[in-house]
Amino acid sequence: MASIELRNIRKVFGSTIVLPDISFTVREDEFVVLVGPSGCGKSTILRTIAGLETPTSGEVWIGGKNITEVHPRDRDVAMVFQSYALYPHLSVYDNMAFGLRMRKFAESEIDKRVREAAAFFQLDELLQRKPKQLSGGQRQRVALGRAVVRNPSTFLFDEPLSNLDAKLRAHTRTEIARLHKRLKTSMVYVTHDQIEAMTMGERIVVLKDGEIQQIDTPLNVYRKPANRFVAGFIGSPAMNFIPGTREGGSLRTDFCKFELLAATQSAAKSSITLGLRPEQILLGPAQNGHVGFNLLVDVVEPMGNELLVYGRAGTQSLVVRCDPKAAIAIDQTVPMHFDPQAVHYFDGENEKALPIS
Ligand SMILES: Nc1ncnc2c1ncn2[C@@H]1O[C@H](COP(=O)(O)OP(=O)(O)OP(=O)(O)O)[C@@H](O)[C@H]1O
Ligand SMILES: [Mg+2]
């Protein structure tokens, strides 16, 4: 078990600054997810921890030691990639044993570890097959098994599930969660799938353009996004953003006007973006200080467990998450409302979240 610490990591490729200045710590038993859009620097961070990339400046510490200059082979780190990179001519068994043989482990120890990992990932029956005789999900489990047999202090995963179909993804996601529960080592998991981020991470690091936007538990990131980017990136369907203007103590948008809370008022400038999660818009007439408006419905998506209703309020497009039994039809105008004390406000210029209390 070992903690991971990135201290002011800067990475420049040619004239491109990929990571301006990244610092964060992963506790020795923690599962941290790095999430962000394509090209934001997730793989570069992981590769820097593994030693496959040298930082332009800054330090990587693992288990209390500065390992910035240590060769990747001598870091106690195993990395699992999106492409499984198995040796095609070797059996499943030999693929898993390969790294240990390189490190001159005794065959008896190798055999013990390979069989243990094979049992954990349900590969027992497949040990003599070649990779091309396996399904994508089975190959990915071999890649996971190969990382596990090394018994490293730290695991790094770079989108290991993105080649799998939805069902296998969900299954393997649970397997990795179980693996973490069993091994209790530090794990850093990269994804741009926000469901993986929400369900797997003890903490999430949300990145944009090589900069950390927020580090927090999944629920805090969802409930208290630090800025508009985080608010829009985490959550599906995404939060509705409504441009607004401050008029004295009120906020005016295209379809509503209401009194701002004192805390929001005191921090706000003239331009404010209102943020409404699809489930924060409620069906029915306003009551108890809620703000009401009418939605002209244009699309209805019955999802089974919920009903997604798309429509317009004034010129503003909105999506609303409703009870699956709600009777809502296309071209209907339905009353909706929201609680102004429970929703989100962002500075219209710098996009930071404004306080509500
Ligand atoms: N060897 C390199 N030379 C030049 N630019 C690079 C190199 N490696 C990565 N980059 C650039 O650095 C940025 C970050 O790349 P990185 O692979 O870390 O992104 P990512 O967040 O993992 O994206 P994805 O989700 O698509 O995998 C990208 O703009 C990429 O083009
Ligand atoms: Mg990547």
Side-chain angles (χ1 to χ4, degrees), residues 38-39 41-44 47 82 158-159 190 192:
S38 187
K42 304 181 294 294
S43 296
T44 306
R47 291 169 57 79
Q82 172 180 359
D158 196 352
E159 310 213 28
V190 162
H192 51 234

Side-chain angles (χ1 to χ4, degrees), residues 24-94:
F24 65 87
T25 303
V26 180
R27 291 193 314 268
E28 60 179 19
D29 57 353
E30 193 177 24
F31 197 118
V32 165
V33 173
L34 306 185
V35 69
S38 187
C40 71
K42 304 181 294 294
S43 296
T44 306
I45 293 175
L46 223 55
R47 291 169 57 79
T48 304
I49 299 172
L52 304 172
E53 249 11 298
T54 311
T56 308
S57 59
E59 293 173 354
V60 183
W61 289 62
I62 293 184
K65 290 198 194 85
N66 182 350
I67 52 127
T68 319
E69 305 292 330
V70 173
H71 192 277
R73 197 186 43 226
D74 302 322
R75 301 184 182 197
D76 194 9
V77 167
M79 187 153 165
V80 182
F81 300 89
Q82 172 180 359
S83 59
Y84 333 112
L86 301 176
Y87 298 106
H89 57 289
L90 296 182
S91 67
V92 167
Y93 186 102
D94 290 335

Side-chain angles (χ1 to χ4, degrees), residues 61-262:
W61 289 62
I62 293 184
K65 290 198 194 85
N66 182 350
I67 52 127
T68 319
E69 305 292 330
V70 173
H71 192 277
R73 197 186 43 226
D74 302 322
R75 301 184 182 197
D76 194 9
V77 167
M79 187 153 165
V80 182
F81 300 89
Q82 172 180 359
S83 59
Y84 333 112
L86 301 176
Y87 298 106
H89 57 289
L90 296 182
S91 67
V92 167
Y93 186 102
D94 290 335
N95 262 288
M96 292 207 278
F98 190 85
L100 300 179
R101 288 192 177 132
M102 291 274 288
R103 288 173 176 78
K104 307 264 183 278
F105 277 71
E107 278 299 323
S108 57
E109 176 66 17
I110 293 176
D111 191 65
K112 181 169 153 267
R113 290 195 189 187
V114 168
R115 289 186 192 282
E116 248 177 51
F120 185 82
F121 290 109
Q122 292 144 40
L123 295 165
D124 318 65
E125 311 291 313
L126 308 173
L127 286 172
Q128 295 318 317
R129 293 216 199 153
K130 298 276 167 64
K132 69 169 188 302
Q133 299 167 307
L134 301 175
S135 71
Q138 290 166 337
R139 276 180 225 160
Q140 191 54 282
R141 300 215 299 273
V142 177
L144 290 168
R146 184 178 53 180
V148 168
V149 294
R150 286 189 40 205
N151 201 12
S153 68
T154 298
F155 283 88
L156 308 175
F157 300 96
D158 196 352
E159 310 213 28
L161 310 185
S162 46
N163 285 339
L164 306 182
D165 67 39
K167 198 168 162 211
L168 253 176
R169 268 182 99 111
H171 178 77
T172 317
R173 192 169 77 207
T174 343
E175 258 174 9
I176 294 178
R178 272 173 45 218
L179 183 69
H180 180 247
K181 197 164 158 232
R182 194 178 73 143
L183 301 179
K184 276 288 169 206
T185 58
S186 53
M187 297 190 176
V188 185
Y189 188 99
V190 162
T191 182
H192 51 234
D193 180 316
Q194 42 126 348
I195 296 181
E196 281 173 22
M198 288 297 288
T199 56
M200 299 178 88
E202 288 168 84
R203 282 191 304 157
I204 305 182
V205 180
V206 186
L207 291 151
K208 180 189 170 214
D209 300 334
E211 293 187 67
I212 295 177
Q213 305 294 306
Q214 187 165 6
I215 307 187
D216 213 328
T217 61
L219 278 184
N220 278 346
V221 168
Y222 190 80
R223 290 182 186 155
K224 295 179 191 157
N227 58 39
R228 178 177 165 158
F229 173 82
V230 175
F233 194 77
I234 302 286
S236 176
M239 185 184 282
N240 297 287
F241 293 111
I242 300 115
T245 315
R246 186 174 162 189
E247 291 181 357
S250 300
L251 177 64
R252 174 186 287 283
T253 77
D254 191 38
F255 61 88
C256 61
K257 182 177 176 189
F258 58 94
E259 189 80 1
L260 284 167
L261 303 168

